[in-house]
């Protein structure tokens, strides 16, 4: 019973971080039809930048902000140099291009920071007791922070002037262009925002298990899964799906080893693609 | 995508067969003149090329990008390992058979689910399936050896009971070359058959192919299975060459490299993937001399540049002739 409770908490916390990862991916997909294979590697790079800033300044919040800004700038540069020339081509070419980018980023991180695990120290100290099990506060704080950032993103998309530009571009890019919205600029901005979300979630996740240069692929895969389960390009859906999938994985980890628990989310993905290809958490399309 | 090549009024491209004979001749002579390192390298290019060619059936001819070929390749390796470790004395034929059965079984499973999906969804689902196999192989230590993999001896070369002999690097190269040539000619024949024409019409326009009355899903399932079988065959050969099977070869990185070979060499040509594998492996060899494991940084950049400026790949300009 205790275990179930702890795993529920675990699942919710992981789900919130995953939701942040997935939100960047789904934003980029929804607006640009780009499946960003480098998303997890941008996250990893963000985590390393965050760890470095933390090492210099000792301030967690500065690390979070610094990582987000640096990776956003990198994302903008990547979009302009490699993805912009591919607009109008087969969407599969963008998968290949971002895959190439992911290779480069991964090896660059290895070159820059080496193969060892970097720690990001916990922003909030202390544990609390849940029945008779210790649970660290920082995990709760991380989940709340992720929720706040996601809420901020949602508010921005819903009410911000530029958010409305972005949503207009998603709905109809030709009409948006005709209305005077600078669509190419919106694309670059969206890719930068998505990258910043990835970097921020990297810093948030840092204290959980440390930062390594190979962590990216795992996150890319998980983010893909929840984005497809939640419905491609659907922000709310992918947040729900993140929590759903993370909870399932947590419960599965009671029975089997965590490495095998991943298979549960694979199965959810396959079942979703077969029976509800538009996503679990969207109304059935007419 | 270019239109399907129109039927040629003049009979087969003589140029094609002359080129084919020259390349085969060079590959036959290669192990006799190359130093041992490059000899092994040439064999390896053939094996990776075979794997990449199997993926070309999907990428180039059916228009489905598979990011899961490492599963078939790896299961081919583990299948061969199973035969070589359990059957005494080790038999070449059985190893190939086991490898093909393992890879084929996996291909049926993946094909059944994944072919219902299209474009990126297909790509993601193949990736996810290959990761399922990876997790199983990685964690099922008692059977697969887990992280350490399995090591075994090389089988002896015996064909149809006609004596048996140890493989030397040279005879092994010829053996691989023979398998690869037969596979290539077979796949080439398949892509030119009515079945292959249907695959290409799925690539060009799936709804229209369906409207004409072809059962598109069935064709796709067979295409994935064929592709998986040849990938498994490549895995068997690779197991023979290195005498081990390791979970690393089931990991996604291998699938990614297969796609890179195809893009670099030229999709939809069957020969292109071999050229791509050669190009990639040579570049890797050259770059890792002074960059060690960071060779992927320049290589990744070259790859991205090729996608933008040379989407047809190195041999793309020969596409029509190679399919004639």
């Amino acid at each position: 019973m205790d275990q179930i409770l702890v795993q529920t908490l675990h699942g919710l916390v992981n789900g919130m971080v995953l939701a942040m990862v997935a939100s960047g991916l789904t934003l980029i997909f929804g607006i640009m039809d780009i499946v960003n294979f480098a998303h997890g590697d941008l996250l990893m790079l963000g985590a390393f930048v965050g760890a470095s800033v933390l090492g210099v300044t000792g301030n967690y919040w500065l690390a979070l902000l610094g990582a987000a800004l640096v990776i956003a700038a990198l994302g903008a540069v990547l979009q302009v140099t490699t993805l912009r020339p591919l607009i109008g081509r087969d969407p599969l070419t963008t998968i290949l291009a971002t895959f190439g980018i992911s290779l480069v980023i991964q090896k660059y991180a290895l070159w820059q920071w080496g193969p060892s695990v970097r720690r990001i120290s916990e922003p909030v100290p202390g544990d609390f007791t849940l029945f008779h099990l210790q649970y660290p506060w920082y995990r709760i704080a991380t989940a709340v922070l992720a929720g706040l950032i996601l809420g901020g993103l949602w508010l921005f998309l819903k009410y911000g002037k530029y958010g409305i530009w972005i949503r207009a571009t998603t709905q109809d890019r030709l009409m948006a262009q005709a209305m005077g919205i600078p669509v190419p600029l919106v694309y670059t901005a969206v890719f930068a925002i998505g990258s910043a979300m990835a970097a921020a979630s990297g810093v948030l996740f840092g204290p959980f298990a440390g930062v390594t240069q190979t962590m990216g692929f795992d996150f890319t895969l998980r983010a893909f899964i929840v984005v497809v389960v939640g419905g491609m390009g659907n922000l709310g859906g992918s947040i729900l799906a993140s929590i759903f999938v993370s909870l399932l994985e947590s419960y599965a980890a009671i029975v089997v080893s965590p490495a095998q628990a991943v298979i549960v989310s694979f199965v959810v993905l396959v079942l979703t693609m077969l029976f509800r290809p538009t996503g679990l958490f969207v109304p059935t399309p007419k | 995508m270019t239109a399907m090549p129109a039927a040629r009024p003049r009979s087969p491209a003589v140029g094609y067969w002359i080129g084919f004979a020259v390349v085969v001749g060079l590959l036959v002579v290669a192990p006799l003149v190359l130093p041992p390192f490059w000899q092994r390298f040439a064999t390896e290019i053939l094996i990776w090329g075979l794997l990449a060619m199997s993926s070309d059936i999907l990428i180039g001819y059916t228009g489905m990008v598979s990011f899961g070929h490492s599963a078939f390749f790896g299961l081919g390796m583990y299948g061969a390992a199973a035969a070589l470790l359990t059957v005494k004395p080790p038999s070449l034929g059985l190893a190939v058979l086991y490898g093909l059965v393992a890879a084929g079984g996996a291909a049926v499973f993946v094909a059944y689910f994944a072919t219902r999906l299209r474009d990126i969804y297909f790509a993601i689902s193949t990736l996810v399936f290959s990761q399922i196999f990876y997790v199983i192989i990685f964690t099922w230590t008692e059977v697969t050896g887990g992280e350490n993999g399995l090591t075994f001896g090389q089988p002896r070369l015996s064909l149809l009971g006609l004596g048996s002999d140890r493989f030397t690097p040279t005879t092994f190269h010829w053996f691989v070359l023979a398998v690869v040539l037969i596979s290539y000619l077979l796949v080439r024949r398949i892509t030119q058959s009515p079945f292959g024409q249907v695959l290409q019409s799925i690539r060009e326009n799936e709804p229209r192919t369906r409207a004409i009355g072809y059962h598109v899903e069935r064709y796709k399932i067979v295409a994935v299975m064929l592709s998986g079988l040849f990938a498994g065959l490549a895995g068997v050969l690779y197991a023979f060459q290195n005498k081990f099977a390791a979970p690393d070869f089931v990991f996604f990185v291998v699938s990614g490299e297969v796609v890179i070979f195809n893009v670099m060499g030229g999709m939809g040509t069957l020969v292109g993937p071999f050229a791509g594998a050669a190009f990639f492996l040579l570049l890797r060899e050259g770059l890792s001399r002074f960059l060690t494991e960071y060779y992927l940084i320049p290589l990744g950049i070259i790859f991205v540049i090729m996608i933008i400026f040379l989407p047809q790949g190195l041999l793309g300009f020969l596409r029509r002739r190679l399919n004639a």
Side-chain angles (χ1 to χ4, degrees):
Chain A
M1 185 60 215
D2 284 350
Q3 212 178 4
I4 291 179
L5 210 65
V6 168
Q7 289 297 344
T8 307
L9 209 55
H10 239 62
L12 284 174
V13 171
N14 286 342
M16 286 315 286
V17 178
L18 193 57
M20 257 188 78
V21 186
S23 67
L25 198 68
T26 198
L27 196 63
I28 291 171
F29 179 81
I31 289 153
M32 297 189 278
D33 277 340
I34 285 174
V35 177
N36 184 10
F37 232 104
H39 201 68
D41 297 286
L42 288 170
L43 176 152
M44 174 269 296
L45 206 60
F48 269 116
V49 171
S52 301
V53 175
L54 193 65
V56 175
T57 63
N59 185 330
Y60 184 82
W61 309 106
L62 222 54
L64 191 64
L65 193 69
L69 288 179
V70 170
I71 302 303
L74 177 71
V77 171
L78 285 177
Q79 200 274 338
V80 172
T81 52
T82 60
L83 294 174
R84 193 173 277 179
L86 295 176
I87 291 176
R89 294 237 207 117
D90 191 332
L92 287 170
T93 55
T94 61
I95 295 194
L96 301 176
T98 52
F99 172 61
I101 294 171
S102 103
L103 293 179
V104 175
I105 292 179
Q106 211 182 92
K107 292 303 161 183
Y108 171 75
L110 181 65
W111 180 56
Q112 184 74 41
W113 289 287
S116 56
V117 179
R118 282 275 200 123
R119 297 284 309 168
I120 291 184
S121 54
E122 296 142 18
V124 184
D127 293 348
F128 67 95
T129 318
L130 186 79
F131 294 89
H132 29 265
L133 283 157
Q134 296 276 311
Y135 204 80
W137 270 117
Y138 80 88
R139 291 199 175 224
I140 305 291
T142 303
V144 172
L145 193 58
L148 286 177
I149 296 176
L150 281 173
L153 180 70
W154 186 79
L155 283 178
F156 165 73
L157 286 176
K158 185 90 180 164
Y159 299 110
K161 179 184 170 199
Y162 299 110
I164 291 171
W165 282 15
I166 290 173
R167 285 191 296 132
T169 311
T170 321
Q171 274 183 9
D172 189 333
R173 62 191 63 157
L174 263 183
M175 191 50 98
Q177 186 124 41
M179 292 295 173
I181 295 174
V183 171
L185 215 64
V186 170
Y187 280 176
T188 310
V190 165
F191 202 83
I193 294 173
S195 309
M197 292 295 283
S201 35
V203 178
L204 281 184
F205 183 80
F208 285 39
V211 185
T212 55
Q213 41 92 25
T214 47
M215 70 196 275
F217 173 69
D218 198 39
F219 274 102
T220 307
L221 196 62
R222 280 155 173 277
F224 272 158
I225 291 173
V226 299
V227 164
V228 174
V229 170
M232 279 268 190
N234 176 343
L235 192 59
S238 33
I239 293 171
L240 285 176
S242 307
I243 294 170
F244 175 63
V245 167
S246 299
L247 278 175
L248 276 185
E249 269 191 38
S250 290
Y251 292 139
I254 300 176
V255 191
V256 294
S257 79
Q260 287 164 331
V262 186
I263 293 185
V264 175
S265 54
F266 294 167
V267 172
V268 171
L269 172 72
V270 172
L271 291 178
T272 308
M273 288 203 287
L274 289 179
F275 297 111
R276 284 293 291 265
T278 48
L280 278 188
F281 300 102
V282 286
T284 310
K286 289 169 206 94
Chain B
M1 294 285 175
T2 53
M4 269 195 287
R8 279 163 177 263
R10 275 188 298 112
S11 60
V14 184
Y16 167 79
W17 289 108
I18 293 175
F20 179 77
V22 169
V23 173
V24 171
L26 285 175
L27 286 170
V28 170
V29 182
L32 300 174
V33 293
L34 290 176
F37 176 81
W38 292 105
Q39 189 179 346
R40 197 184 152 79
F41 195 78
T43 315
E44 208 146 284
I45 287 177
L46 285 176
I47 298 174
W48 287 116
L50 176 61
L51 175 62
M53 183 191 76
S54 76
S55 163
D56 196 19
I57 301 174
L58 298 182
I59 297 186
Y61 288 88
T62 325
M64 311 194 283
V65 174
S66 156
F67 264 104
H69 259 57
S70 61
F72 311 133
F73 183 72
L75 280 164
M77 283 181 94
Y78 276 94
L84 294 175
L85 287 171
T86 55
V87 182
K88 300 282 173 211
S91 143
L92 183 79
L94 267 187
V96 173
L97 185 71
Y98 276 39
L100 289 183
V101 168
V108 171
F109 180 67
V110 173
Y112 179 74
F113 292 105
T115 50
R116 301 171 185 213
L117 305 162
R118 294 172 51 190
D119 304 334
I120 44 170
Y121 294 94
F122 177 80
I124 296 175
S125 65
T126 50
L127 169 60
V128 164
F129 276 115
S130 76
Q131 284 303 109
I132 292 179
F133 288 111
Y134 173 74
V135 171
I136 293 173
I137 288 176
F138 195 84
T139 53
W140 199 11
T141 314
E142 304 89 74
V143 174
T144 60
E147 199 174 352
N148 298 322
L150 300 167
T151 50
F152 41 83
Q154 211 171 30
R156 295 166 77 84
L157 174 62
S158 59
L159 289 173
L160 311 164
L162 292 172
S164 78
D165 208 355
R166 270 184 180 287
F167 275 122
T168 64
T170 310
T171 53
F172 185 69
H173 179 88
W174 286 335
F175 173 72
V176 170
L177 181 61
V179 173
V180 166
L181 275 183
I182 294 169
S183 308
Y184 167 68
L185 292 173
L186 213 62
V187 174
R188 184 178 140 85
R189 181 70 193 84
I190 291 170
T191 56
Q192 291 173 343
S193 68
F195 170 77
Q197 299 293 325
V198 175
L199 291 188
Q200 291 174 53
S201 96
I202 292 174
R203 175 191 73 199
E204 297 301 327
N205 194 332
E206 187 172 329
R208 188 173 291 177
T209 314
R210 199 188 305 275
I212 296 171
Y214 288 106
H215 200 302
V216 170
E217 277 70 30
R218 235 174 262 167
Y219 280 87
K220 283 182 169 181
I221 287 178
V222 177
V224 173
M225 281 167 53
L226 267 177
S227 180
L229 279 178
F230 284 104
L233 188 60
V236 171
L237 292 178
Y238 201 73
F240 287 169
Q241 192 186 22
N242 290 308
K243 306 180 202 94
F244 68 83
D248 287 358
F249 293 99
V250 194
F251 194 58
F252 155 75
V253 172
V254 170
S255 307
E257 281 178 359
V258 169
V259 175
I260 296 181
F261 296 162
N262 270 288
V263 174
M264 280 186 160
M267 299 176 272
T269 59
L270 296 185
V271 189
F274 285 96
F279 182 66
F280 180 93
L281 294 173
L282 279 171
L283 265 180
R284 175 166 85 184
E285 198 53 43
L287 291 169
S288 59
R289 289 268 159 101
F290 49 96
L291 286 174
T292 62
E293 55 196 310
Y294 308 116
Y295 69 87
L296 269 175
I297 298 177
L299 208 60
I301 294 172
I302 293 172
F303 175 64
V304 173
I305 291 174
M306 281 181 82
I307 290 173
I308 297 173
F309 295 105
L310 194 65
Q312 295 285 327
L314 293 172
L315 295 186
F317 68 98
L318 285 174
R319 194 170 178 181
R320 257 156 197 276
R321 286 168 162 263
L322 288 169
N323 285 307

